[in-house]
Amino acid sequence: MTKRYDKAYFDRWYRARNTRVSTHAEVRRKVSLAVTMSEYFLRRPIRTVLDIGCGEGAWLPHLRALRPRIAYTGLDSSDYAVQRYGAERNIRKAAFGDLPKLKLGIYDLVICSDVLHYVPEDEIRAGVKTVAEVTDGLAFLEVLTREDDVTGDLDAFLRRPAAWYRTLFRTAGLTFVGPYCWLAPAFKDAVAELEAAKR
């Protein structure tokens, strides 16, 4: 049975008090981290954001609160999310595996939050290359692994080891610099020894 990302799904995991996976304040902290880390390395305010697997575009209000003039593009496979919020929040229909076929720009911040652990391996391998190509600053790649104590939506959750993701991201040219934060290939030689995490 195919996983359905309909209104009921978003109500259950993002709005209902007893089952939601994060609060408004938790999302704001993630957004603040991603924006700050991006701007630290870019040495200027971010202007463009690509949010892959954005759902209803939950990050957008937080991004706009911090950077009102941000140019935001969301991508999601949910028909519901695109129909309901597409025009209002600039969300286009696309899955992670579609990335290599899309005409994308270059972005200061690329977000892929709580998505990759549901994506098949072949789609991730192809899509991560595109993520590295379109990231001009930072990629915030929040992914849960086999080693994590995971709660929430476990339907179709793929338990891959953290080492698998680290190797994949590094092979694509990304440099790990903090919690879920991976720096664009262009910065590889500009990172100080203690700015990058060597783990």
Side-chain angles (χ1 to χ4, degrees):
M1 184 172 151
T2 304
K3 192 168 178 140
R4 294 186 62 194
Y5 295 98
D6 53 12
K7 183 179 183 297
Y9 176 89
F10 290 98
D11 284 343
R12 179 180 183 186
W13 296 114
Y14 295 93
R15 282 185 279 276
R17 278 187 177 271
N18 295 334
T19 54
R20 67 187 178 191
V21 292
S22 61
T23 65
H24 182 84
E26 288 167 337
V27 175
R28 176 60 67 94
R29 283 193 290 274
K30 285 184 199 177
V31 174
S32 297
L33 170 67
V35 169
T36 299
M37 290 287 281
S38 300
E39 294 182 346
Y40 173 82
F41 286 102
L42 285 167
R43 300 183 182 190
R44 62 167 172 78
I46 61 169
R47 303 180 191 113
T48 55
V49 173
L50 175 66
D51 192 350
I52 304 164
C54 66
E56 297 175 328
W59 278 50
L60 181 56
H62 301 286
L63 287 164
R64 287 266 161 81
L66 295 170
R67 299 291 176 267
R69 296 182 182 177
I70 202 94
Y72 176 90
T73 300
L75 301 176
D76 203 86
S77 62
S78 166
D79 289 326
Y80 154 75
V82 174
Q83 289 168 5
R84 172 66 181 83
Y85 295 104
E88 177 186 339
R89 299 180 181 173
N90 195 32
I91 299 173
R92 296 161 40 194
K93 184 165 170 58
F96 193 86
D98 296 328
L99 291 178
K101 300 178 283 187
L102 301 177
K103 291 183 178 178
L104 298 168
I106 301 297
Y107 304 89
D108 295 332
L109 171 61
V110 175
I111 303 156
C112 188
S113 178
D114 194 22
V115 174
L116 293 179
H117 38 256
Y118 301 113
V119 178
E121 185 174 322
D122 58 334
E123 293 183 27
I124 291 181
R125 288 187 183 281
V128 163
K129 291 178 185 175
T130 303
V131 168
E133 289 167 2
V134 303
T135 302
D136 191 40
L138 190 87
F140 184 86
L141 306 175
E142 181 184 11
V143 57
L144 299 172
T145 71
R146 180 185 295 164
E147 293 84 359
D148 298 316
D149 183 17
V150 181
T151 58
D153 178 18
L154 299 178
D155 180 35
F157 183 89
L158 299 170
R159 294 184 179 274
R160 301 183 185 99
W164 186 87
Y165 290 103
R166 283 194 196 100
T167 299
L168 185 67
F169 298 161
R170 285 181 174 141
T171 300
L174 300 168
T175 301
F176 184 54
V177 291
Y180 302 123
C181 295
W182 294 83
L183 202 56
F187 287 84
K188 187 172 184 178
D189 297 327
V191 179
E193 196 62 22
L194 290 180
E195 286 179 323
K198 298 298 183 184
R199 182 177 171 187

